[in-house]
Amino acid sequence: MRPVIAGARAVAALALVPAGLLAAGCGIQSTDVIAVGDPASAQAMPGDNATVLYFTGPDGLMPVVREGAPKPPLPLLFAGPDQDERAAGLGTELPPAQGALKMSVSGSTVTVVLGQDVSRLTPLAQRQIACTALQAVVKDRERRVMINGTGGPSSLSPLACPA
């Protein structure tokens, strides 16, 4: 009967070895938080048959590429993220569209005209519009976006797209 008790003690001792190693920490010492720079950003590289929209994500603006025949981006943007995009954590700060949505290019300025007061758009909502509008035009040089509405231009116009 003695060998069984000795064997059980050996198994119990071996079971404690991993716990002892974890408690010792294997010699790894803790460190302070190390700053590594700004969070990552994303840029969309769509094909010819795609529309790029910018929605809000956990870390700011996120580009979304919608495949298929290119469509006017502003109505799609104001319609908000689709079901799959919402499930992925994307949202919008844009209110529902009211009136016409127009976009034109003159020189280095893209002008977006909304049929509503733009003075109440949040800065992030204004950047959603600016980035989506800039993505829709040819990028042969630096451009800015003017957002105009029934109450005049947006408070941040002219805007570039920092995303």
Side-chain angles (χ1 to χ4, degrees):
M1 204 162 188
R2 278 245 197 241
V4 173
I5 294 174
R9 287 185 185 159
V11 170
L14 287 175
L16 293 176
V17 171
L21 290 175
L22 286 175
C26 299
I28 299 174
Q29 297 180 357
S30 64
T31 62
D32 290 332
V33 175
I34 299 171
V36 293
D38 294 329
S41 63
Q43 290 199 354
M45 303 303 275
D48 292 336
N49 293 325
T51 303
V52 179
L53 308 170
Y54 281 80
F55 293 118
T56 60
D59 296 321
L61 291 183
M62 293 295 299
V64 172
V65 179
R66 291 203 183 157
E67 296 295 332
K71 297 178 180 165
L74 294 179
L76 294 174
L77 179 67
F78 274 85
D82 65 22
Q83 183 177 354
D84 291 337
E85 294 160 353
R86 283 191 306 275
L90 298 178
T92 185
E93 288 204 3
L94 294 170
Q98 299 172 8
L101 301 169
K102 299 177 185 174
M103 187 170 71
S104 62
V105 179
S106 177
S108 64
T109 302
V110 178
T111 302
V112 173
V113 180
L114 308 177
Q116 62 197 59
D117 183 5
V118 297
S119 67
R120 294 187 178 161
L121 293 175
T122 66
L124 192 56
Q126 292 178 50
R127 286 186 182 92
Q128 277 185 261
I129 295 168
C131 291
T132 298
L134 287 171
Q135 186 71 45
V137 300
V138 178
K139 292 187 170 74
D140 57 351
R141 61 180 171 227
E142 186 175 321
R143 295 179 187 257
R144 300 268 182 208
V145 176
M146 287 292 298
I147 303 172
N148 296 318
T150 58
S154 74
S155 60
L156 299 180
S157 288
L159 287 163
C161 183

